[in-house]
Amino acid sequence: MKNTLSLVITMLFAAFSHAQYNTMTMPEALTGTTFDLNIHESTKQLVSGNQTITGSINNETFWGPTLFINKGDLIHMNVTNNLNESTTVHWHGMHLPSVMDGGPHQIIPAGTLWQPYWTVMNQATTLWYHPHLHQSTQEQMTKGIGGFIIVKDPVESALALPRTYGVDDIVLALTSRSYNTTTNTFVSPPASTRVYGDYMLTNGTPSAQYTLPKQFVRMRILNAEVERGYNIGFSDNRTFYIIGNDGGLLNAPVAVTRVKLLVGERVEIMVNLGNDTVGSSIDLKAYNSGQAFGFPGGEPNTTGDFGSLLNNIDFNLLHINVGSTTTTTTPITAVPTTLLNDTYWTAADATVTRAIAVTNGNPGPASVPFNFDNVTYSLTMTPKVVNLNDIEKWTVTNSNVFGHSFHLHDVEFKIVARNGSASAVGTHESGWKDTFYLPKNESVTFVAKFNDFADSDVNHPYMYHCHFGGHEDGGMMGQFIVTGTMSTSENAPSTAFSLYPNPANDKLFVNLKDASTEIYYVTISTIQGRVVMMLPQPEWQNGIDISSLESGVYTFQMMDKQTKSVTTKKFVKK
């Protein structure tokens, strides 16, 4: 009787404690090589009262589906913008041609379809996609538009790792929001410049809980915030293992009890629930109290532009309920001792050195928003020029008033020093990265090789920027192009071609001077840089239908599949 009563009390306590939480949404998994993504407004019950108007993709009500892709596959994206405003979709961390990158220059107007495609060259990793429309990024990210991309490859698949999606391998998008009290709409630009949310959302779920099996589980964690950083750990301070970050798996797991994760960064961890009792629980937490000023979200104030109810406190990210060990798949019961055998670029490999300084942003009535090298971003600013296949060393210095999250498009890089010291680089940063935390009064040096894709057209540059939404919208961005062996934008070393517009049937014909040349893509853009058409080789060889184009001057780009060089020509639609 005593044992029965004890069990009843335990069950009642569990039921009561679970009532505080909401079961976390696990985004729908999409697989294949063609993905249809419909960006639209939706609604979701996030707080009591009115539902909140959100931004979402496909069937989700906040956020979007998780895309599973394979290294080596040619993938096609059909992105339809059903918002009432323009947007872009940036494939964060993806190595791909600049015209497919989805940065501020690849605008998708309301009601239109964008169809980028590329061959997946990244190794197995956790990436993500999100809006990147200049001066609207914070507003659109606040709505909840974005999603995960999981790249698979044979090397990762051969390892004994958890990989049953939604069971022992889960994605966690961490962010927070504030709500207008009368309407429950998000507090966001242009009505408000407030940067920190008051209430935690995990995969768009407030007070989230999830059941995970009694074994090793894998968590792919993304900081999808507007600005807040997280110092992540478990409520019992147990050790967990970092197995990967932005660019994929590390060479070996790193045992930690805390890991800092700034905006845009990802970390893959394994944690052992095998010693926990079925029916017990544990919390994944943000240990954000007591952070030094400059750590975003560590400010003491609870109101104002930089205030939040979550500032400078420890709070839950996910309440984990321990369930039964899996039976349909073999449970993982140990962490591999080694994962990869990658060789990384070193400072000695670099032949080009660049220095970038964080400038301005100082408080006061004459304050200029944060920028780089005292230049505020514009779409037409002169880009840095990088030579194809060069290995470059960049040092980003922040002698300023606040920390930042620095992101580089196109390629992954290796962090080789913090504050000039190789030993100051954290072991959790030992793999390939595309984003890093840059505290105030510190510097970070990284090395990258800019390989595979060259395009000298300044209308389609790659970006580097602070990933805080308000900072990049305010002009804390720069851009660069990668140039190959082409001499001018009107001449190419291998893909020489002629254009023949035919007014009689409203078609554009292309004549390759070397018929054996293989083409990766052709693109038609406005002079302002907006992509209006993107076609693979079989779809343009019999002429391109340009009847839907308005009169005006357009650019035509063709990328050589072998050399990756791009040729640009102009044509007039009358």
Side-chain angles (χ1 to χ4, degrees):
M1 175 67 73
K2 184 177 180 180
N3 289 340
T4 302
L5 181 61
S6 176
L7 179 60
V8 170
I9 292 172
T10 300
M11 292 176 66
L12 287 173
F13 177 78
F16 176 77
S17 62
H18 288 184
Q20 307 174 57
Y21 302 104
N22 303 299
T23 299
M24 182 180 68
T25 299
M26 190 58 53
E28 178 186 11
L30 300 182
T31 61
T33 56
T34 299
F35 298 91
D36 298 322
L37 302 177
N38 171 25
I39 307 173
H40 58 94
E41 284 192 344
S42 186
T43 59
K44 188 166 185 175
Q45 193 73 54
L46 295 173
V47 290
S48 60
N50 295 331
Q51 291 193 337
T52 299
I53 298 172
T54 61
S56 58
I57 299 173
N58 292 7
N59 301 318
E60 308 294 337
T61 54
F62 183 99
W63 205 237
T66 299
L67 314 182
F68 282 82
I69 60 178
N70 297 306
K71 182 178 181 180
D73 280 356
L74 175 63
I75 61 172
H76 291 74
M77 301 292 184
N78 299 314
V79 184
T80 302
N81 177 14
N82 279 317
L83 300 171
N84 58 6
E85 60 184 342
S86 294
T87 190
T88 79
V89 177
H90 168 53
W91 318 102
H92 184 124
M94 193 70 69
H95 182 44
L96 75 178
S98 58
V99 73
M100 318 287 186
D101 185 55
H105 296 267
Q106 288 85 53
I107 297 172
I108 315 171
T112 64
L113 173 68
W114 183 47
Q115 295 180 291
Y117 60 93
W118 64 91
T119 298
V120 180
M121 303 180 75
N122 295 68
Q123 64 182 8
T125 187
T126 302
L127 309 178
W128 64 304
Y129 58 97
H130 60 80
H132 208 315
L133 185 67
H134 184 41
Q135 297 182 327
S136 296
T137 297
Q138 181 180 346
E139 180 185 2
Q140 294 190 352
M141 285 288 294
T142 299
K143 290 179 179 178
I145 301 170
F148 283 94
I149 303 173
I150 295 178
V151 183
K152 302 168 67 177
D153 70 15
V155 176
E156 187 274 344
S157 297
L159 295 169
L161 296 173
R163 61 173 59 85
T164 303
Y165 182 71
V167 179
D168 63 355
D169 183 2
I170 64 171
V171 293
L172 300 175
L174 307 180
T175 190
S176 60
R177 295 292 183 271
S178 295
Y179 308 94
N180 293 298
T181 54
T182 55
T183 61
N184 281 350
T185 53
F186 289 130
V187 174
S188 69
S192 173
T193 56
R194 201 158 184 260
V195 297
Y196 301 130
D198 286 326
Y199 303 99
M200 186 67 208
L201 296 176
T202 304
N203 289 356
T205 305
S207 302
Q209 69 171 348
Y210 203 75
T211 299
L212 292 170
K214 178 182 164 63
Q215 61 201 57
F216 268 98
V217 297
R218 181 181 191 174
M219 299 179 180
R220 303 169 186 260
I221 308 174
L222 159 70
N223 185 327
E225 277 281 10
V226 170
E227 188 160 325
R228 188 188 308 280
Y230 295 95
N231 186 30
I232 297 173
F234 288 90
S235 53
D236 62 355
N237 290 319
R238 70 178 60 192
T239 297
F240 58 96
Y241 301 87
I242 299 174
I243 62 170
N245 51 27
D246 301 344
L249 296 176
L250 308 183
N251 281 348
V254 177
V256 297
T257 58
R258 298 283 188 274
V259 61
K260 287 185 177 178
L261 196 68
L262 269 289
V263 181
E265 289 187 297
R266 288 86 64 208
V267 65
E268 291 189 33
I269 69 171
M270 284 178 64
V271 59
N272 185 16
L273 302 180
N275 298 323
D276 293 77
T277 304
V278 173
S280 65
S281 64
I282 185 175
D283 293 317
L284 183 69
K285 297 178 69 72
Y287 288 93
N288 279 17
S289 61
Q291 298 292 329
F293 178 78
F295 184 83
E299 293 92 328
N301 41 317
T302 57
T303 60
D305 287 350
F306 302 99
S308 165
L309 299 180
L310 297 177
N311 273 6
N312 197 32
I313 64 170
D314 302 337
F315 55 90
N316 272 15
L317 303 174
L318 180 66
H319 182 72
I320 299 167
N321 302 308
V322 180
S324 300
T325 304
T326 55
T327 56
T328 56
T329 58
T330 302
I332 301 299
T333 58
V335 180
T337 55
T338 60
L339 298 165
L340 295 182
N341 188 28
D342 276 354
T343 301
Y344 302 106
W345 306 119
T346 69
D349 294 318
T351 57
V352 177
T353 298
R354 298 181 190 268
I356 296 173
V358 174
T359 46
N360 292 298
N362 296 300
S367 173
V368 176
F370 289 110
N371 54 27
F372 292 116
D373 300 322
N374 293 304
V375 178
T376 298
Y377 177 77
S378 72
L379 289 165
T380 57
M381 71 184 298
T382 301
K384 297 183 184 300
V385 178
V386 176
N387 292 320
L388 182 66
N389 291 321
D390 270 1
I391 300 174
E392 295 201 354
K393 182 178 71 174
W394 292 27
T395 297
V396 188
T397 301
N398 180 21
S399 302
N400 215 281
V401 297
F402 204 71
H404 299 278
S405 184
F406 184 94
H407 173 50
L408 180 75
H409 288 209
D410 180 29
V411 294
E412 303 288 345
F413 52 76
K414 181 71 173 72
I415 298 176
V416 296
R418 281 188 173 272
N419 305 318
S421 171
S423 62
V425 179
T427 52
H428 67 287
E429 298 178 309
S430 60
W432 296 111
K433 294 280 290 174
D434 57 52
T435 307
F436 58 79
Y437 177 37
L438 181 63
K440 65 173 184 174
N441 299 322
E442 294 193 17
S443 68
V444 171
T445 301
F446 65 83
V447 178
K449 183 176 182 181
F450 296 84
N451 54 349
D452 296 312
F453 303 112
D455 186 347
S456 63
D457 183 0
V458 295
N459 291 314
H460 298 289
Y462 294 109
M463 312 300 298
Y464 62 91
H465 59 92
C466 176
H467 217 290
F468 297 175
H471 291 190
E472 61 178 282
D473 282 345
M476 195 176 177
M477 290 200 293
Q479 55 193 31
F480 66 95
I481 58 173
V482 180
T483 61
T485 54
M486 62 195 76
S487 55
T488 72
S489 63
E490 298 292 327
N491 298 285
S494 55
T495 314
F497 65 92
S498 301
L499 293 177
Y500 297 96
N502 188 338
N505 58 10
D506 235 353
K507 281 194 172 184
L508 182 70
F509 291 90
V510 184
N511 180 34
L512 286 175
K513 293 186 178 179
D514 181 358
S516 65
T517 299
E518 287 190 271
I519 301 304
Y520 193 170
Y521 71 79
V522 298
T523 302
I524 295 175
S525 309
T526 63
I527 289 296
Q528 292 73 29
R530 182 171 67 83
V531 177
V532 295
M533 197 176 298
M534 191 176 295
L535 301 167
Q537 183 157 347
E539 296 183 25
W540 56 263
Q541 289 178 318
N542 295 317
I544 300 169
D545 184 356
I546 56 173
S547 58
S548 62
L549 299 185
E550 297 179 355
S551 299
V553 182
Y554 294 85
T555 62
F556 183 97
Q557 290 185 308
M558 179 173 285
M559 175 176 272
D560 187 300
K561 197 168 187 177
Q562 182 175 3
T563 66
K564 303 298 191 302
S565 61
V566 176
T567 312
T568 301
K569 290 183 181 293
K570 297 179 179 65
F571 73 93
V572 178
K573 168 69 186 296
K574 296 182 179 179

